[in-house]
Amino acid sequence: MAAVRATVRAAAAAVRPTNAVMRVTKGAARQIQGLMEDRPEMNGLRISVRTRGCSGNAFHLEYATKKEKFDEEIEAHGVKVWVDSKAILKVLGSTMDYVEDDLSAEFVFDNPNAKGMCGCGESWHT
């Protein structure tokens, strides 16, 4: 499976409570839909957390054909995002967005659980 690039930011303000593990913005959903157009066999995006980088944790995004047994499913703005069961406590309350600027275009996670992160923003610790 192909991986997708993502960075993390510590959430500055309290996020409103929601029933979902995390929130997916309209911008992120639009980008996921665009990525999936070229991959008709893919039904969603799976998010997991891997041990890597200078701060210890990094988001890993990959195309997925189905929800795994213990994944948490988020349906938002017409897309499905599955969060790996081992990542739930590390992403709880996060917001997934897609941000484009002059230098980059990437998924960005505002994560209230991040206590610190590396200088480039790709890895973080709780």
Side-chain angles (χ1 to χ4, degrees):
M1 300 274 172
V4 181
R5 180 176 156 79
T7 60
V8 67
R9 297 185 294 209
V15 179
R16 290 187 315 215
T18 178
N19 292 335
V21 168
M22 59 181 284
R23 192 171 80 79
V24 178
T25 66
K26 286 181 184 178
R30 261 193 312 273
Q31 183 62 21
I32 293 168
Q33 286 172 333
L35 292 169
M36 304 297 262
E37 285 177 358
D38 296 334
R39 295 173 176 82
E41 72 281 5
M42 300 303 172
N43 297 316
L45 188 70
R46 177 169 289 109
I47 299 172
S48 59
V49 175
R50 296 200 173 162
T51 302
R52 67 170 235 227
C54 29
S55 283
N57 297 304
F59 284 103
H60 181 77
L61 283 64
E62 61 187 350
Y63 303 105
T65 56
K66 65 182 171 113
K67 176 184 178 226
E68 296 297 325
K69 186 174 182 180
F70 296 108
D71 285 353
E72 187 72 27
E73 183 173 275
I74 301 160
E75 288 193 49
H77 312 291
V79 298
K80 290 182 183 177
V81 176
W82 296 304
V83 179
D84 181 275
S85 62
K86 296 177 208 131
I88 290 172
L89 291 177
K90 293 182 179 182
V91 304
L92 193 61
S94 295
T95 299
M96 177 185 189
D97 196 6
Y98 187 76
V99 177
E100 292 184 71
D101 60 28
D102 292 339
L103 300 175
S104 66
E106 61 192 349
F107 288 103
V108 175
F109 290 83
D110 286 321
N111 187 348
N113 305 304
K115 302 298 179 206
M117 62 191 74
C118 66
C120 67
E122 287 190 25
S123 66
W124 47 275
H125 66 275
T126 54

